[in-house]
């Protein structure tokens, strides 16, 4: 009895020891800062370290979320998410189905698509920034030279940001759908083929329903990631950029208030608001979209 | 099946939890106190082992090479101080933010925008160099008066001016000749007319050239400079130098007229606007537009002359011309306020570190080293001694356009109106102005009076918020 107990204690100790490094990282870099926000947002923070904070109460939160810049940021965040996620899910699925063929050279095709998922936003921004450069880029070379240029154009800049985000997201979406397709039961697809179902009917009536858990997962994860995007906005437009107001997403505003023009109190307010917004959308995804998911596999 | 569901749910929550990491960045703004520190420059004479200090600078391109060479030369010229040069790649704004986030502990001496000195005072994270100037009996008499006046706040010389620059008009002499323009424009009206001549002449060429006329960089700094030229204040309380600035003063008829003229150039397709920001090379699109024959002229900082010179041999289609920044009115006589950078000391330095840092600054700012730095970079000599150095005299004789910026700074005399604003929230106000400038130059239906009023309103809100947070 005591031997069994000491074994359990040893195993438990080993388990805790193994998760300790990860637990420390999560505590230091996620949990502590997350809860710290709930005290920061109550104070007008000084612009420099060492100066006293002043009590603001809930007024700072109200002032922040009712400000024009926050509402513009909310609009930019939602537009970006709507532009990137549905198209990214659709294209990822289409490319994955196209690549799910036993053809020569398909491995190269799959690798090419998958690489966009592992390219950093900095790489993507430099590549697309060069394509879209109004002086030495691909667009003016092709005769597309609007004034103001695409990245500075308040109308087109967000589309340019979405193209970069889409390029990256399609890679991830492709990988996840490819993995999902590998796990589909071949006999069901073969049976449909024998019963005379064409490729399109087979795709919509068999593949899509069977892949619905993966589609739901990609959609949910993609939505969360899209709502926290700001890399390409910072690298290609920036606070001095002509289209800045149109691409200044909430995540980018957090970065600016936390780092470039330090105002931790306002940054905390936007962080909490963005967290609540993202959690709400995720909850709605689970509440309404998950009903259509088929876990029958 | 329920396993799949739980995996989906767990993974989604995990991603959501990790996304909270964005929230976590907020708490990285640590708090720490600032203390005053004296400058005993003689302390260095007693050291027996080298004092190690860290220097943050934010130079780039050829200027970075020149800076590295100067630091290396300093380290090998003596044995009492070892300087570790850290290049901050994000420019002045990022350097300053990194410095404040470090609580003043990141660097012993650092380079920052000349216009950001009020923030240094407000932060209490720097020691006025006046302490070291007095202790070392260092003479500032040979410095250009505007640079010293600009850096003197709260009665003390806060930072020592190092590199001065002002915007100049860059033009392609070959384009001007093709368009029949004999002399560069001296006023904005002439600049507008010349831009039109360029587009007309270029449209008759095959292939078509100079279709942009002028590549117009939207830099809010220009607005400050055109205000200084007309001896008009940019912010209240005499540019924040007779008392803390509480609101902007740039919302006036003079600036509405200025912005209307610039917008009309874009409206008539005689100019193309380029915002000041952008990744890497995109920040120089207005200059590349000249090298690619899309434009015949632009306005940019004189600090770019050195880098432009190094690339010029690649572009046989360009013969460089540099002229003073065109005036809004021919009668404007305020000259230009100096831009560029100054060197500051950390308030967290020990007396010994201050002595070492001052020793290093003194080396950089000797007439010989200043002249060498200015000749390599295109910066304006900030002392008359450096301007008299042989290397500068030879350069000015061989390439007279290097002297254009120097003459512009020395015009108008030093007064509160001609040395620019002292503004603690300078970078934020700068961004507010940039946004309005961009809005009217990228959308020509935007009314300039409305745009500048919007900039003033937003900037006033930020100034008020900043002041109340101190």
């Amino acid at each position: 009895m005591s031997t069994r107990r000491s074994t359990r204690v040893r195993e438990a100790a080993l388990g805790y020891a193994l998760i300790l490094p990860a637990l420390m990282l999560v505590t230091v870099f996620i949990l502590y800062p997350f809860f710290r926000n709930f005290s920061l947002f109550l104070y007008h923070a000084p612009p420099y370290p060492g100066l006293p904070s002043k009590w603001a109460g809930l007024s700072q939160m109200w002032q922040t979320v009712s400000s024009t810049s926050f509402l513009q940021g909310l609009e930019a965040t939602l537009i970006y998410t709507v532009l990137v996620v549905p198209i990214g899910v659709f294209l990822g699925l289409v490319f994955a189905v196209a690549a799910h063929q036993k053809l020569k050279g398909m491995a190269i095709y799959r690798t090419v698509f998958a690489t966009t998922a592992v390219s950093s936003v900095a790489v993507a921004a430099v590549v697309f920034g060069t394509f879209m450069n109004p002086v030495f880029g691909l667009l003016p070379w092709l005769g597309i030279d609007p004034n103001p240029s695409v990245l500075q154009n308040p109308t087109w800049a967000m589309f340019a940001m979405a193209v970069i985000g889409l390029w990256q997201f399609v890679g991830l979406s492709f990988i996840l759908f490819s993995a999902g397709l590998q796990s589909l039961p071949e006999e069901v697809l073969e049976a449909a083929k024998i019963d005379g179902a064409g490729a399109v009917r087979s795709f919509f009536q068999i593949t899509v329903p069977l892949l619905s858990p993966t589609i739901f997962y990609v959609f949910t994860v993609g939505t969360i990631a899209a709502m926290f995007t700001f890399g390409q906005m910072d690298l290609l437009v920036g606070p001095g950029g002509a289209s800045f107001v149109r691409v200044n997403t909430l995540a980018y505003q957090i970065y600016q208030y936390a780092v470039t023009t330090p105002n931790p109190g306002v940054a905390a307010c936007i962080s909490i608001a963005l967290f609540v917004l993202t959690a709400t959308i995720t909850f709605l995804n689970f509440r309404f979209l998950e009903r259509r998911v088929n876990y029958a596999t | 099946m329920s396993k799949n569901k739980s995996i989906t749910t767990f993974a989604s929550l995990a991603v959501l939890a990790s996304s909270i990491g964005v929230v976590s960045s907020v708490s990285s703004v640590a708090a720490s106190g600032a203390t005053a520190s004296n400058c005993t420059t003689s302390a260095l004479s007693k050291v027996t082992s080298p004092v190690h200090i860290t220097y943050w600078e934010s130079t780039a391109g050829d200027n970075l090479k020149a800076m590295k060479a100067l630091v290396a030369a300093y380290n090998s010229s003596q044995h009492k101080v070892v300087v570790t040069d850290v290049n901050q790649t994000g420019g002045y704004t990022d350097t300053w933010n990194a410095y404040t986030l470090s609580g003043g502990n990141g660097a012993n001496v650092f380079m920052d925008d000349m216009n950001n000195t009020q923030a240094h005072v407000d932060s209490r994270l720097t020691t006025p160099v006046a302490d070291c100037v007095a202790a070392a009996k260092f003479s500032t008499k040979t410095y250009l008066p505007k640079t010293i006046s600009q850096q003197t706040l709260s009665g003390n010389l806060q930072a020592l001016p190092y590199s001065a620059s002002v915007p100049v008009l860059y033009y392609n002499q070959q384009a001007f000749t093709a368009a029949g323009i004999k002399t560069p424009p001296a006023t904005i009206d002439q600049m507008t007319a010349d831009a039109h001549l360029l587009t007309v002449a270029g449209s008759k060429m095959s292939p078509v050239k100079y279709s942009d006329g002028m590549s117009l960089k939207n830099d809010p700094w220009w607005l400050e400079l055109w205000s200084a030229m007309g001896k008009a204040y940019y912010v209240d309380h005499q540019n924040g130098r007779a008392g803390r600035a509480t609101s902007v003063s740039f919302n006036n008829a003079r600036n509405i007229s200025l912005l209307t003229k610039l917008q009309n150039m874009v409206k008539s397709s005689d100019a193309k606007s380029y915002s000041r920001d952008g990744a890497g090379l995109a920040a120089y699109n207005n200059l590349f537009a000249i090298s690619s024959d899309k434009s015949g002229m632009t306005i940019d900082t004189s600090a770019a002359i050195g880098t432009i010179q190094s690339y010029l041999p690649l572009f046989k289609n360009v013969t460089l011309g540099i002229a003073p920044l065109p005036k809004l009115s021919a009668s404007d006589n305020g000259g230009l306020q100096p831009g560029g950078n100054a060197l500051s000391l950390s308030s967290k330095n020990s007396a010994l570190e201050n002595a070492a840092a001052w020793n290093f600054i003194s080396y950089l700012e000797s007439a010989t080293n200043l002249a060498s730095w200015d000749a390599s970079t295109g910066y304006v000599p900030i002392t008359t001694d450096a301007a008299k150095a042989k290397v500068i005299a030879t350069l000015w004789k061989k390439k007279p356009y290097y002297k254009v910026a120097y003459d512009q700074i020395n015009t108008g005399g030093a007064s509160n109106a001609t040395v620019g604003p002292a503004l603690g929230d300078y970078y934020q106000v700068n961004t507010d102005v940039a946004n309005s400038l961009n809005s009217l130059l990228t959308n020509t239906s935007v009314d300039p009076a409305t745009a500048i009023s919007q900039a003033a309103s937003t900037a006033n809100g930020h100034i008020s918020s900043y002041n109340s947070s101190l």
Side-chain angles (χ1 to χ4, degrees), chain A residues 29 33-34 36-37 47-51 54 133 135 145 147 152 217 228 235 237 239-242 258 260 290 295, chain B residues 1 5 11 19-20 23-24 27 29 32 97 100 119 124 272 274-275 277 279 285 292 294 431 435 438 466 468-470:
Chain A
F29 291 108
F34 175 67
R36 181 88 172 87
N37 277 297
Y48 310 109
L51 300 177
K54 292 175 185 167
N133 187 286
V135 179
D145 193 13
N147 187 3
Q152 296 180 45
Y217 172 74
F228 287 82
L235 289 163
V237 180
T260 59
E290 204 191 17
Y295 289 108
Chain B
M1 51 186 157
K5 182 178 178 179
S19 66
I20 299 168
V23 180
S24 72
S27 296
V29 184
S32 66
N97 288 327
T100 57
R124 303 170 207 173
K272 182 167 180 173
Y274 292 89
S275 62
D277 216 327
N285 277 339
S292 59
K294 287 167 74 73
T431 300
N435 289 336
N438 281 324
Y466 174 88
S468 66
S469 68
L470 293 174

Side-chain angles (χ1 to χ4, degrees), chain A:
Chain A
M1 184 75 175
S2 65
T3 309
R4 191 190 295 170
R5 192 175 171 189
S6 67
T7 305
R8 282 176 57 192
V9 169
R10 269 207 309 274
E11 282 179 352
L14 178 64
Y16 283 117
L18 288 172
I19 65 166
L20 190 62
L23 196 63
M24 284 171 64
L25 287 174
V26 169
T27 305
V28 171
F29 291 108
I30 295 178
L31 293 179
Y32 168 72
F34 175 67
F35 289 109
R36 181 88 172 87
N37 277 297
F38 291 93
S39 63
L40 275 175
F41 92 95
L42 295 169
Y43 292 89
H44 288 302
Y48 310 109
L51 300 177
S53 294
K54 292 175 185 167
W55 174 256
L58 294 175
S59 66
Q60 183 164 239
M61 175 62 89
W62 172 244
Q63 281 168 9
T64 302
V65 298
S66 60
S67 67
T68 308
S69 67
F70 178 87
L71 296 174
Q72 286 170 337
L74 179 62
E75 183 186 345
T77 304
L78 294 177
I79 289 174
Y80 178 83
T81 305
V82 168
L83 286 174
V84 170
V85 179
I87 301 173
V89 171
F90 176 74
L91 290 180
L93 180 58
V94 169
F95 292 151
V97 170
H100 190 60
Q101 312 289 331
K102 294 183 176 93
L103 296 175
K104 200 175 179 183
M106 198 50 80
I108 297 171
Y109 178 73
R110 283 185 188 143
T111 307
V112 168
F113 270 101
T115 48
T116 68
V118 292
S119 300
S120 74
V121 67
V123 171
V126 170
V127 170
F128 280 89
T130 306
F131 283 161
M132 298 177 199
N133 187 286
V135 179
F136 50 78
L138 182 66
L139 293 184
W141 187 75
L142 292 171
I144 304 166
D145 193 13
N147 187 3
S149 63
V150 174
L151 290 172
Q152 296 180 45
N153 195 307
T155 306
W156 292 106
M158 183 50 97
F159 288 98
M161 299 299 109
V163 166
I164 298 168
L166 198 56
W167 183 78
Q168 286 196 290
F169 180 50
V170 165
L172 175 68
S173 167
F174 171 82
I175 291 170
L176 293 169
F177 284 128
S178 292
L181 285 168
Q182 306 276 348
S183 65
L184 292 190
E186 284 292 329
E187 62 274 17
V188 178
L189 294 167
E190 285 293 327
K193 204 172 178 180
I194 292 166
D195 289 346
V200 175
R201 192 171 175 197
S202 178
F203 175 76
F204 282 108
Q205 297 201 344
I206 298 180
T207 306
V208 170
L210 288 177
L211 266 184
S212 58
T214 311
I215 295 172
F216 176 66
Y217 172 74
V218 174
F219 189 84
T220 305
V221 169
T223 303
I224 294 169
M227 295 192 71
F228 287 82
T229 300
F230 72 94
Q232 61 267 48
M233 289 75 170
D234 186 47
L235 289 163
L236 294 178
V237 180
S243 57
F244 170 68
V245 173
R246 298 297 177 92
V247 302
N248 190 15
T249 57
L250 292 177
Y252 194 19
Q253 291 186 18
I254 294 170
Y255 169 74
Q256 289 164 68
Y257 280 117
V259 179
T260 59
T261 52
N263 193 335
V266 175
C269 289
I270 303 174
S271 298
I272 292 168
L274 182 59
F275 173 69
V276 170
L277 179 69
T278 312
T280 305
I281 290 175
T282 307
F283 171 77
L284 293 175
N285 274 348
F286 274 90
R287 183 79 178 77
F288 296 105
L289 288 185
E290 204 191 17
R291 285 178 182 175
R292 297 171 179 274
V293 173
N294 178 4
Y295 289 108
T297 57

Side-chain angles (χ1 to χ4, degrees), chain B residues 115-116 118-119 122 234-235 239 245 248 421-426 429 463:
Chain B
N115 292 308
N116 196 39
Q118 181 63 49
D122 295 341
Y234 192 73
V235 294
N239 264 348
V248 299
L423 198 51
D425 206 12
Y426 178 76
V429 171
I463 293 171

